[in-house]
Amino acid sequence: MAITISENIKYIGVDDTDIDLFESQYIVPNGVSYNSYLILDDKTALMDTVDARCMNEWADNLTNALGDKKLDYLIISHLEPDHSGSILKLIELYPDVTLVGNAKTFAMLPQFFDVPDVEKITVKEGDHLELGSHTLTFYMAPMVHWPEVMVSYESTEKILFSADGFGKFGALSIEDEDGWACEARRYYFNIVGKYGGPVQTLLKKAAGLDIKTICPLHGPILDENLEYYIGLYDTWSSYKPENKGVLIAFASIHGNTGKAAEKLAEIIRAKGEEKVVVSDLAREDMAEVIEDAFRYDRMIVAGASYDAGVFPCMLEFLHHLQSKAYQNRTVGILENGSWAPTAARTMKSVLETMKNVTIVEPTVTIKTTLKEENMAALEELADAIVASGK
Ligand code: FEO
């Protein structure tokens, strides 16, 4: 992929368009890119390697871009295998390379592979690496998204190499018609979402830098309108809703709970709520529904009772939200149960563990199918969820 950053900084990353599941859990219909950058100066520096799945294509990009220059440094921003998977190949190609990482990088590195005997430089917060006319400064970014993560700022061209931060699903060779935010948001909440505090810390460090370009490890290079991207990251990492709206996530066995969810959406819309999204947890991409749960300020969970609990896809959804630190939202509950409804108390027991989640009343219980006798309670729940968004 020919992507121009500047005369002396080359993109040498690769697209992975046939991976079935990223991290063995996220569908990526448009693939994903593993970004890697090469700085050519008196000294040369490679910013991360790529997943072993794409090692050969990447190695060709590297050797072509480097030509007859030697490679001096490999900066290891992040050890997750989608970025460290080709380090051994790199050392095989350039045995004189010096690895640059922090203390945690080098403590964890031998867990991934037997590290050959190469030079290493251990950097800490604020350390510099002079390359000639370019200088890299390192900033630690623990838990964005692993403990050893660090970002690098190149002060001549004012580039932030941001590791997974500002990353996005989608191969660079495939145009994303939905724009940056859609797949960046799905990536953020599902992969980095638990670590809002560390992201806030990194944003505060970045605020002190004059940044013209952000080079993440996935997705496009960002070189204009940076306030937009940084603003979204600030909203997301502070667990503030991005938009007003109601997500209704339902878990329905035979369709009746789904019908009740759709009816509730219709009632809420009729009350003037502009954005109401209905999602079928049994069939839709769970990561997309997680993204919407964080995106909007309110949510209704509608679940069928099952085995004295709730239909499993709802429990899985709530556990995902719990592990991603879902918080600061208003939630309504609808349950279905044909003989002994248990879904509401099961869903509530998970929601109650979350920080600053307000559960609105009433909890609506239907028995098998929605009946006229349920309509008053449905109206009341709709009123409560609409009022809570004012
Ligand atoms: Fe792209 Fe956390 O690895």
Side-chain angles (χ1 to χ4, degrees):
M1 229 0 283
I3 294 171
T4 306
I5 300 175
S6 73
E7 173 85 23
N8 294 309
I9 302 187
K10 308 290 181 193
Y11 177 82
I12 57 159
V14 284
D15 278 349
D16 189 349
T17 51
D18 57 12
I19 187 170
D20 58 345
L21 292 171
F22 183 71
E23 286 188 1
S24 298
Q25 56 178 327
Y26 303 114
I27 59 162
V28 280
N30 287 338
V32 66
S33 70
Y34 310 119
N35 297 349
S36 172
Y37 307 91
L38 182 65
I39 305 177
L40 298 167
D41 204 322
D42 297 341
K43 298 283 187 184
T44 56
L46 172 65
M47 313 303 290
D48 296 287
T49 76
V50 302
D51 195 291
R53 291 170 50 81
C54 299
M55 185 161 63
N56 292 337
E57 184 188 343
W58 165 81
D60 286 347
N61 292 349
L62 171 61
T63 50
N64 287 337
L66 202 52
D68 54 10
K69 282 178 176 278
K70 74 192 249 294
L71 181 66
D72 294 296
Y73 302 110
L74 166 66
I75 317 299
I76 306 173
S77 305
H78 183 18
L79 274 177
E80 198 164 6
D82 49 330
H83 310 296
S84 66
S86 300
I87 291 180
L88 278 185
K89 173 74 174 180
L90 180 82
I91 296 172
E92 190 187 304
L93 288 170
Y94 301 99
D96 296 330
V97 70
T98 297
L99 307 187
V100 180
N102 56 67
K104 287 179 196 156
T105 316
F106 292 124
M108 289 171 72
L109 191 61
Q111 294 170 198
F112 292 83
F113 44 77
D114 293 330
V115 188
D117 189 20
V118 291
E119 292 292 318
K120 298 184 193 70
I121 296 177
T122 304
V123 296
K124 56 184 185 331
E125 180 80 10
D127 280 359
H128 304 294
L129 184 68
E130 303 287 347
L131 302 174
S133 63
H134 294 79
T135 303
L136 290 170
T137 305
F138 302 102
Y139 296 93
M140 302 301 116
M143 301 322 294
V144 185
H145 128 245
W146 276 19
E148 86 302 350
V149 173
M150 63 182 194
V151 303
S152 312
Y153 177 68
E154 199 295 302
S155 49
T156 301
E157 303 203 35
K158 304 185 191 314
I159 296 176
L160 180 70
F161 294 94
S162 61
D164 275 341
F166 300 95
K168 172 186 173 297
F169 293 128
L172 298 183
S173 55
I174 300 173
E175 192 187 335
D176 190 340
E177 290 172 357
D178 294 325
W180 181 84
C182 185
E183 283 292 66
R185 190 188 296 106
R186 189 168 71 99
Y187 177 93
Y188 175 82
F189 282 113
N190 286 281
I191 292 180
V192 192
K194 182 180 177 67
Y195 306 110
V199 173
Q200 281 281 306
T201 303
L202 178 60
L203 289 177
K204 287 187 179 75
K205 290 181 190 182
L209 303 171
D210 179 13
I211 300 168
K212 293 272 190 294
T213 305
I214 297 175
C215 289
L217 287 177
H218 303 285
I221 290 140
L222 308 174
D223 57 5
E224 54 188 18
N225 203 11
L226 296 190
E227 324 73 59
Y228 167 72
Y229 305 106
I230 293 170
L232 280 177
Y233 252 63
D234 187 32
T235 300
W236 298 343
S237 58
S238 53
Y239 300 101
K240 288 179 192 151
E242 184 182 335
N243 299 111
K244 284 223 164 278
V246 182
L247 165 69
I248 303 180
F250 72 83
S252 187
I253 307 167
H254 300 291
N256 291 313
T257 309
K259 281 182 191 154
E262 294 286 1
K263 183 66 189 174
L264 182 56
E266 190 186 311
I267 296 169
I268 294 171
R269 287 188 192 109
K271 291 180 188 297
E273 191 72 49
E274 284 180 14
K275 192 72 188 176
V276 183
V277 178
V278 183
S279 294
D280 178 352
L281 292 171
R283 289 175 178 77
E284 294 179 33
D285 170 28
M286 184 76 76
E288 189 87 37
V289 193
I290 298 286
E291 173 197 341
D292 280 343
F294 280 98
R295 179 175 190 171
Y296 299 114
D297 58 334
R298 288 154 291 159
M299 175 172 76
I300 290 171
V301 285
S305 301
Y306 190 87
D307 283 350
V310 66
F311 196 41
C313 57
M314 173 60 78
L315 200 56
E316 188 194 341
F317 172 64
L318 292 171
H319 283 155
H320 270 282
L321 287 180
Q322 188 183 46
S323 81
K324 302 299 174 191
Y326 181 77
Q327 55 187 270
N328 302 337
R329 301 294 192 276
T330 301
V331 180
I333 297 174
L334 183 153
E335 70 172 348
N336 193 355
S338 295
W339 57 96
T342 51
R345 72 162 185 255
T346 309
M347 293 188 283
K348 200 171 180 186
S349 70
V350 185
L351 290 164
E352 281 174 344
T353 65
M354 298 172 185
K355 187 176 159 189
N356 197 22
V357 164
T358 306
I359 298 174
V360 293
E361 297 294 337
T363 290
V364 176
T365 300
I366 65 168
K367 290 208 158 177
T368 309
T369 56
L370 192 63
K371 295 276 194 317
E372 194 51 44
E373 67 205 40
N374 303 124
M375 296 313 290
L378 222 51
E379 285 280 346
E380 224 183 308
L381 176 58
D383 282 335
I385 207 81
V386 169
S388 68
K390 301 258 194 241

